[in-house]
Amino acid sequence: MNRQVWIDHLTSWKTFLNERISLVEDEGERIKCERQIKTIERVRCGAVLNPSLLCEFISPSTEESEEAICEKFYFDMNDSQKKAVRLALGENTLSLIQGPPGTGKTQVIAEICLQLLSTNPSLRILVCSETHVAVNNLLSRIAQYSKGIRIVRIRDKENDDAVDEFSPESIINLYLKWASESIQNKDAYNIIEGEVRDFISNDQRKKNQIEKALALSANIVGMTCNRAAAYDFRDRTEMFDVAIIDEVCKATLPEILSPLVISRKAVLLGDPKQLPPVFCSEEQEIIRSIQNCNLNRFMYIDTLFNEGKKVSVLDTQYRMSNQIGCMISDLFYNGSLKNGRNEDVEDGLTWITYEPSNDWPIPTEELSDRPKIYNEDECQIVADLVKQIISEGNPNTTVAVIAPYRAQISSLRKACINSDRVKIDTVDGFQGKESDVVIFSVTRTKGSYRFLADDRRINVALSRARDRIFIVGNQEYSERDPLLKTIMGKCKIIEWQ
């Protein structure tokens, strides 16, 4: 990247974050912004633990990377996965792995971790993602294979207990249980217990200290990218040997930099064909108020994947049926994505059209220029369809109901039956997840296609499905957009009565 472009981009981020701090009321959001500013300052001053990693991130070399030799693989892997693992284990400081939907990124990350620790059991590996769910999935997969690895899972303020056995609290309680059974002198034990419990219960600074101590003693530490900036890693003795960042294309630049500045080496996994970071309306207003600010348009990480010479691409998906997989491959990956599952599902692609009772969205008096975007016709169709799938299908079939707009999601949640097998969320909320059946509500019958027919958003929405996709949308409106029209041409069209 051009040096001035990089400097200007970091400056824009710092300006944006300072503006965000001045306006935000939530304490957690303020702390997150302050951490990101601190990370940017470290980068601008060169105060990083491995400058060569940062240089490679800013200006990747064009030389061919050498693949490491792997005598055996812990998981059953295809050729593209094996190549990605071997390159990640090589001498290169920075590795990029593009993982389209269903191509096994989680398995590749677990394999990389196991391979690294098999050659050096004392390595410290930092596993990060923009979301907690991705971190939990990664640690669970690694732990299933090897129980001897020391894992610590550090959360932000999340109450999720999916991997609670690795939390600092669980580790400390296990230590105290061992101490109570092993230390004969009860006075000595009471002193130890009192000190430990006092240390972790008083203030956040002390909690950070013990979390950092546990992180430095573990083989694998899992946390969000933002959390990685909460600790003061001072020198090379405290840096991580490898940072692995999943869903990196959905993270902002400051989030990505947070693990990079405290690691010797990094492996970045993502897909520039799926959703980028999402800025809320307040953040969009700040961006518009900053002169020449393009944070919502220019995604530096996308340029690394799209223009980089050393990107490993996982080329076989195992989630989707052939009909769905071929559609996703043709529309978004130039036909290069293979179907590893290799299974046909009858009527796997269905488009349900209808005659709308209104032009949706309906303008409201208080929000005439920015109406809430919902569609009662589609809510009723989707509700009936969900009921039909749940009552007539396999009792284990899961259903994902997806729409591009939050107001439509709220309406769908009220309309559809309440079932553990049915998940209803926005497209953005479903990235990284999957379901047997996906029902996608187009919602609009008039107006802009900008948000609705975004290639990356549609890719995420439709690639969540394993077996069947139902798209509910008025044909007359939808076929005026080239992408929606192409999708419609691949589907069986049914008119809902």
Side-chain angles (χ1 to χ4, degrees):
M1 173 188 278
N2 178 279
R3 180 176 180 272
Q4 192 58 49
V5 173
W6 173 258
I7 293 172
D8 292 345
H9 196 51
L10 285 185
T11 301
S12 293
W13 269 112
K14 186 176 179 181
T15 303
F16 166 80
L17 290 168
N18 278 318
E19 284 293 316
R20 183 83 173 125
I21 289 173
S22 69
L23 298 174
V24 74
E25 296 181 359
D26 180 70
E27 179 70 8
E29 183 67 19
R30 182 186 63 78
I31 291 173
K32 183 182 81 171
C33 292
E34 289 175 347
R35 289 174 184 168
Q36 293 184 0
I37 291 174
K38 179 182 175 182
T39 297
I40 290 173
E41 284 301 304
R42 289 188 63 172
V43 169
R44 295 183 68 173
C45 297
V48 300
L49 294 180
N50 185 10
S52 64
L53 173 56
L54 182 61
C55 290
E56 183 70 16
F57 181 74
I58 298 172
S59 182
S61 64
T62 57
E63 297 179 3
E64 289 292 326
S65 301
E66 290 189 13
E67 299 179 22
I69 297 174
C70 296
E71 294 183 358
K72 70 168 186 175
F73 287 89
Y74 294 89
F75 296 98
D76 184 18
M77 312 192 81
N78 62 48
D79 290 342
S80 67
Q81 291 172 326
K82 289 178 180 178
K83 181 177 181 179
V85 170
R86 288 194 296 261
L87 285 170
L89 298 175
E91 294 299 322
N92 41 308
T93 308
L94 179 69
S95 300
L96 301 175
I97 301 174
Q98 181 179 352
T103 53
K105 286 193 287 90
T106 301
Q107 182 165 292
V108 168
I109 293 173
E111 182 72 39
I112 291 170
C113 291
L114 294 172
Q115 292 283 352
L116 287 168
L117 292 172
S118 69
T119 56
N120 186 350
S122 64
L123 281 180
R124 292 203 298 264
I125 303 171
L126 177 61
V127 176
C128 290
S129 181
E130 182 259 347
T131 66
H132 285 283
V133 173
V135 177
N136 289 344
N137 291 341
L138 292 168
L139 297 187
S140 297
R141 180 68 64 89
I142 295 167
Q144 285 174 2
Y145 194 90
S146 179
K147 299 296 184 182
I149 298 175
R150 298 191 305 279
I151 299 174
V152 175
R153 169 67 168 102
I154 298 175
R155 303 184 180 95
D156 293 350
K157 293 183 178 180
E158 189 190 42
N159 294 320
D160 177 27
D161 60 356
V163 287
D164 189 60
E165 63 179 302
F166 306 126
S167 69
E169 294 79 10
S170 296
I171 294 171
I172 290 169
N173 287 331
L174 189 63
Y175 164 72
L176 290 176
K177 181 176 182 297
W178 169 85
S180 67
E181 295 171 351
S182 305
I183 298 174
Q184 300 300 318
N185 187 323
K186 294 304 177 185
D187 290 335
Y189 169 74
N190 289 336
I191 292 173
I192 292 173
E193 181 189 34
E195 288 290 328
V196 170
R197 296 206 181 280
D198 178 68
F199 192 70
I200 64 174
S201 63
N202 280 348
D203 59 42
Q204 189 60 50
R205 182 181 64 84
K206 290 184 176 181
K207 288 182 179 180
N208 282 358
Q209 288 175 350
I210 198 165
E211 286 174 353
K212 177 183 173 182
L214 289 172
L216 293 175
S217 67
N219 293 125
I220 296 177
V221 181
M223 65 180 83
T224 60
C225 295
N226 275 313
R227 189 66 183 178
Y231 310 99
D232 187 13
F233 294 100
R234 294 178 177 275
D235 56 45
R236 295 179 67 85
T237 64
E238 294 186 343
M239 72 193 306
F240 290 91
D241 296 289
V242 182
I244 301 176
I245 311 177
D246 191 19
E247 301 287 1
V248 72
C249 294
K250 202 171 185 295
T252 64
L253 183 63
E255 288 174 325
I256 299 167
L257 290 172
S258 296
L260 293 187
V261 300
I262 56 175
S263 303
R264 286 188 175 85
K265 175 175 177 168
V267 181
L268 311 183
L269 298 96
D271 183 9
K273 301 292 187 181
Q274 296 186 64
L275 283 172
V278 177
F279 293 90
C280 66
S281 57
E282 292 86 356
E283 292 170 330
Q284 294 280 9
E285 290 180 10
I286 294 173
I287 291 172
R288 285 192 290 269
S289 71
I290 301 172
Q291 188 175 5
N292 298 323
C293 185
N294 63 348
L295 298 185
N296 57 341
R297 299 189 305 276
F298 175 61
M299 301 299 163
Y300 173 66
I301 191 66
D302 287 358
T303 66
L304 285 186
F305 277 90
N306 292 325
E307 301 175 11
K309 306 296 183 183
K310 301 189 296 184
V311 181
S312 301
V313 181
L314 307 181
D315 64 9
T316 306
Q317 67 83 17
Y318 298 91
R319 173 187 301 160
M320 298 168 274
S321 64
N322 290 342
Q323 291 88 340
I324 300 172
C326 288
M327 178 180 69
I328 297 297
S329 179
D330 291 343
L331 289 176
F332 307 111
Y333 298 97
N334 298 317
S336 62
L337 193 59
K338 304 173 187 175
N339 293 320
R341 176 179 162 186
N342 197 25
E343 182 179 350
D344 291 320
V345 175
E346 186 177 358
D347 293 332
L349 299 171
T350 302
W351 188 293
I352 298 176
T353 187
Y354 61 96
E355 189 65 34
S357 62
N358 273 300
D359 287 336
W360 305 99
I362 300 174
T364 56
E365 292 183 5
E366 66 273 16
L367 292 172
S368 57
D369 58 334
R370 294 180 60 186
K372 290 184 177 181
I373 302 174
Y374 66 94
N375 181 325
E376 293 177 355
D377 294 335
E378 291 190 15
C379 285
Q380 188 57 56
I381 294 171
V382 171
D384 292 344
L385 188 57
V386 168
K387 186 176 180 180
Q388 177 182 319
I389 294 170
I390 292 297
S391 61
E392 297 178 1
N394 185 310
N396 297 316
T397 297
T398 57
V399 181
V401 177
I402 303 177
Y405 308 104
R406 293 190 181 278
Q408 180 70 348
I409 291 300
S410 297
S411 300
L412 286 166
R413 285 174 175 160
K414 295 174 184 177
C416 294
I417 63 173
N418 185 15
S419 170
D420 292 338
R421 293 161 56 192
V422 181
K423 304 297 181 186
I424 305 172
D425 208 341
T426 60
V427 182
D428 303 64
F430 264 106
Q431 179 153 324
K433 303 175 185 177
E434 60 183 50
S435 186
D436 296 320
V437 179
V438 163
I439 304 173
F440 179 70
S441 171
V442 172
T443 308
R444 281 184 177 273
T445 64
K446 69 174 183 179
S448 171
Y449 297 93
R450 181 187 61 82
F451 189 77
L452 171 66
D454 176 86
D455 284 15
R456 297 168 73 154
R457 182 161 280 105
I458 294 296
N459 182 17
V460 170
L462 302 186
S463 62
R464 303 306 95 199
R466 284 190 285 266
D467 299 329
R468 305 176 72 191
I469 293 174
F470 294 91
I471 302 174
V472 180
N474 173 251
Q475 181 175 0
E476 183 180 352
Y477 168 79
S478 300
E479 65 185 4
R480 291 198 292 268
D481 176 79
L483 176 58
L484 296 179
K485 183 177 182 180
T486 301
I487 294 171
M488 192 183 302
K490 296 177 180 292
C491 297
K492 175 182 179 182
I493 299 179
I494 296 176
E495 186 161 358
W496 194 267
Q497 302 297 327

